[in-house]
Structures are given as structure tokens and as C-alpha cells.
Amino acid sequence: MPRIAFALLLLLLTGCSASTRYNFKFDILSFIPQNQRSLNIPSGYYLAVYPNLEGQLVPLPISLDILERGQIAIQGSLVNTGSIPMTGSYEIRLAPESDTNLNDNSGGDVGLGRTSFNVAAGQSQSIASSVNLDATQNSAAFNIIKSGSFRVAIRVEVNSNGGRFDLTAAQATVIGRPFALIK
């Protein structure tokens, strides 16, 4: 019996160490009301920051002393309801909680994963972007996430006869350790 108790104690003590990595996934889409997950695109040139200029506030309910890396990923579709090709681009915008304009490139907002598209008339196209964040790759965005809560949006720029952008998934992932032995 003492061996079993010692083995259990050893397992508990090694369960959370300075080298333990935690992987937290946050469903950003759950913060966006269902009726705001689609963007109607009018005819002509159109620029929008979606769901709005302030972006969606994503509160990180965790406390990691050492954030090692992160990822922002979105999925959706573009539907061209017009009679000419729908061309343009989209990008993920990220900003600190205090920045309430994610399209002015001031206050800390940054653009990530800019992707061009060309959707034929009457057709649809799936979109998917995944942006990795760490101290060397997209470091400005990584520092925004490290600070805690942040804002996220999608900037869409389109030339078309009309269409729709539907967001079907948006997720943030952070990986880190709960504490460091030496700070």
C-alpha cells in the first residue's frame, strides 16, 4: 500500500511542472452573435472591417507566465451573386484591447495573412487562413496576445457586382507554461 500511495503522490507532483505545456483553444466565433456572422457585399468597390471597426474583444481567461506560441485561424466562404468576377483580398486584423479602430494601423493594430481571391460569377469559394504567432514569426501580433485580452477582426476589400462573406469558424490557440522556475 505505501508503494501505491508514493506512486500516486509522485504522479501528482509531476503533473504540473515548469516544463508542463498547456494548449488553450478559444472559439472566437462564439463571441460573435449569429446574425453578425455574414457580411453582405454591395456592387462596386467595398471595404469593410468585420464584424466592425472595433473588432471582437477576446478575453483570455488564463494566466500563463510564459506564452510560447499561438495561432489565429478562420474559415468561411465567399459567394459571388453578381455577373462579373468578385476579386479582392482579406486579412486577419489583431489589436490590443485598448485599440478600437482595427483599420488605421495605429494604436497597435496589425494585419496578418493577407490573402487574395477571385470568385467567378455565380460561384462560391471556401476560405481558410491560419497564422502562426511566436517571438520570431509575427512577433508584433504575438506580443498583442501575450498582453492578455485582445481584439480581432477580418478586413475584406472587394470589387464585385455583389455577394456575401460568411464566417464559419474562428479560433485562437495559445500554448504556454503556467510558471517559470526562474523569472
Side-chain angles (χ1 to χ4, degrees):
M1 190 67 166
R3 286 184 184 175
I4 293 173
F6 178 74
L8 287 174
L9 179 63
L10 185 61
L11 283 173
L12 286 173
L13 291 175
T14 60
C16 184
S17 70
S19 63
T20 300
R21 303 292 192 280
Y22 288 95
N23 185 352
F24 293 97
K25 292 185 179 185
F26 302 95
D27 182 10
I28 297 170
L29 199 60
S30 69
F31 294 101
I32 302 172
Q34 185 72 34
N35 64 351
Q36 294 178 10
R37 296 180 186 177
S38 290
L39 177 66
N40 288 318
I41 300 169
S43 185
Y45 173 78
Y46 182 67
L47 171 68
V49 178
Y50 170 78
N52 55 50
L53 262 174
E54 292 182 3
Q56 181 60 52
L57 180 62
V58 179
L60 292 183
I62 59 168
S63 177
L64 297 174
D65 279 355
I66 300 176
L67 186 61
E68 295 178 347
R69 61 188 177 276
Q71 183 182 65
I72 303 286
I74 63 165
Q75 292 180 348
S77 64
L78 289 160
V79 179
N80 184 349
T81 58
S83 59
I84 64 170
M86 175 190 287
T87 60
S89 64
Y90 65 91
E91 71 179 351
I92 299 170
R93 302 290 298 176
L94 204 62
E97 182 177 0
S98 61
D99 187 353
T100 57
N101 184 343
L102 273 67
N103 194 39
D104 64 358
N105 293 318
S106 69
D109 56 292
V110 296
L112 305 161
R114 187 176 183 92
T115 304
S116 297
F117 58 83
N118 186 345
V119 183
Q123 299 294 311
S124 63
Q125 177 180 321
S126 295
I127 63 162
S129 288
S130 180
V131 180
N132 294 320
L133 313 169
D134 60 36
T136 58
Q137 189 176 10
N138 298 310
S139 61
F142 179 67
N143 289 332
I144 290 170
I145 289 180
K146 278 178 65 173
S147 69
S149 298
F150 60 93
R151 296 183 180 276
V152 64
I154 301 170
R155 182 181 187 269
V156 181
E157 191 171 5
V158 182
N159 282 303
S160 74
N161 277 142
R164 192 175 69 249
F165 174 85
D166 295 313
L167 186 62
T168 57
Q171 186 174 28
T173 304
V174 294
I175 300 167
R177 294 180 281 169
F179 60 90
L181 289 176
I182 300 173
K183 287 190 177 187

